Amino acid sequence: MGGAPSLRGAAIAALQAADLDEKLRLTDYAGEGWFARRLGLSSPGDPAQPSRPGRPVKPDLVSPRLVKRRSVHTPEGRISMIHALAHIELNAIDLALDIVARFAREPVPRSFFDGWMTVAMEEAKHFRLLSGRLRDLGSMYGALPAHDGLWQAVEVTAHDLTARLAIVPLILEARGLDVTPSLLAKLDEVGDGETGAILEIIYNDEKKHVAIGAKWFRFLCARQGVNPAQRFQELVRQCFRGDVKPPFNDRARAEAGLTPTFYRSLSPLSS
């Protein structure tokens, strides 16, 4: 790589890594280098933005319809659930790295990249925790099929930072705030405190991630002179193919800066 080392180049290297241990190491390297101010933001020698992240041979990627859902009340069901969560966290690492690399030349404050490298490093921590839990239970990440739907959010928002923030943190991550409390209750029922402790960490970090997304979404809307809730609804209708459906964890969402005026009108099932 020519030129001075850069955050963008380091993020792309992590994004491209197919070996997951290397991806995690390079993610931490990028974040630590950035926070120590050893890395500039971008360099003329940075590699091209990859269209897809590096991935290992396993797991097999299939349609979301083909990924079985099992009850957490069986050991196999818990392994399936943890595997699915690990896959989400792996995608979340790459989504955060992609935001940093793809939008490194946007006119935003340096603290924007502080936020997203914090997210990337925390998603890497989550993946490590869930992978370790799978090993404790006699399995491993890659042992089960997984779906490839999350990366569509990158493709459809590749040229619009405001749209990317609307869809990734404020739709996809916010969904985690909705579903995790009931999952924690189920794990408590079956006495799986080890997995529950990991999900508590992820849940609390996800609140921060949604808050980072909401902060910068509002920043961009203010700069554009548009109403953030209305702009959010426009972008979701344009860019998101899934459903925005209850139940909503209104309290956790509001704590993260995502009030019901943003999302309630998008849900046909919501009063």
Side-chain angles (χ1 to χ4, degrees):
M1 187 190 301
S6 74
L7 176 64
R8 182 171 182 271
I12 288 172
L15 195 57
Q16 290 177 319
D19 178 90
L20 298 186
D21 288 337
E22 184 72 351
K23 184 183 291 289
L24 298 173
R25 186 188 71 79
L26 289 171
T27 298
D28 287 342
Y29 168 82
E32 289 161 6
W34 174 250
F35 287 115
R37 301 308 187 223
R38 293 193 302 267
L39 298 175
L41 185 53
S42 64
S43 166
D46 291 343
Q49 184 84 21
S51 60
R52 293 189 63 80
R55 284 286 183 270
V57 175
K58 293 287 185 179
D60 295 326
L61 296 179
V62 299
S63 164
R65 295 188 303 275
L66 300 178
V67 178
K68 293 180 181 177
R69 295 189 179 186
R70 296 191 179 101
S71 167
V72 300
H73 291 274
T74 67
E76 296 80 9
R78 286 199 294 283
I79 287 171
S80 180
M81 180 269 290
I82 296 165
H83 191 281
L85 292 175
H87 185 66
I88 289 169
E89 296 299 329
L90 175 59
N91 276 273
I93 299 167
D94 287 324
L95 289 167
L97 292 169
D98 188 87
I99 286 176
V100 168
R102 190 176 299 274
F103 300 104
R105 298 187 178 99
E106 287 280 325
V108 290
R110 191 179 181 94
S111 55
F112 175 88
F113 301 99
D114 293 348
W116 289 108
M117 283 313 303
T118 297
V119 172
M121 295 172 79
E122 289 182 345
E123 306 293 18
K125 174 185 70 178
H126 301 164
F127 182 79
R128 284 190 184 96
L129 290 169
L130 292 166
S131 297
R133 185 64 183 141
L134 285 172
R135 288 192 295 273
D136 292 344
L137 296 171
S139 188
M140 61 182 289
Y141 177 70
L144 299 171
H147 70 79
D148 196 32
L150 289 170
W151 199 249
Q152 293 172 356
V154 166
E155 295 163 351
V156 77
T157 61
H159 304 294
D160 184 344
L161 177 55
T162 311
R164 175 64 62 86
L165 295 174
I167 303 305
V168 173
L170 303 188
I171 289 287
L172 300 180
E173 284 242 43
R175 188 65 184 151
L177 301 183
D178 301 333
V179 302
T180 303
S182 63
L183 200 49
L184 284 166
K186 290 175 185 175
L187 289 168
D188 187 54
E189 279 177 29
V190 299
D192 189 348
E194 294 88 346
T195 304
I198 293 170
L199 262 61
E200 285 276 9
I201 292 168
I202 293 172
Y203 178 70
N204 289 320
D205 286 345
E206 275 181 341
K207 281 189 202 174
K208 292 188 288 180
H209 302 175
V210 176
I212 289 167
K215 169 188 172 179
W216 291 109
F217 184 82
R218 290 175 183 277
F219 170 88
L220 293 173
C221 288
R223 193 163 69 183
Q224 296 160 14
V226 297
N227 178 289
Q230 290 177 4
R231 185 66 181 135
F232 175 76
Q233 292 156 19
E234 291 167 4
L235 289 167
V236 172
R237 291 187 177 108
Q238 290 169 18
C239 302
F240 186 64
R241 298 189 187 99
D243 294 323
V244 181
K245 56 189 178 184
F248 298 115
N249 187 341
D250 290 326
R251 179 175 176 176
R253 284 168 170 253
E255 287 172 359
L258 189 61
T259 52
T261 53
F262 276 73
Y263 54 85
R264 282 285 178 183
S265 66
L266 292 167
S267 172
L269 303 177
S270 181
S271 57

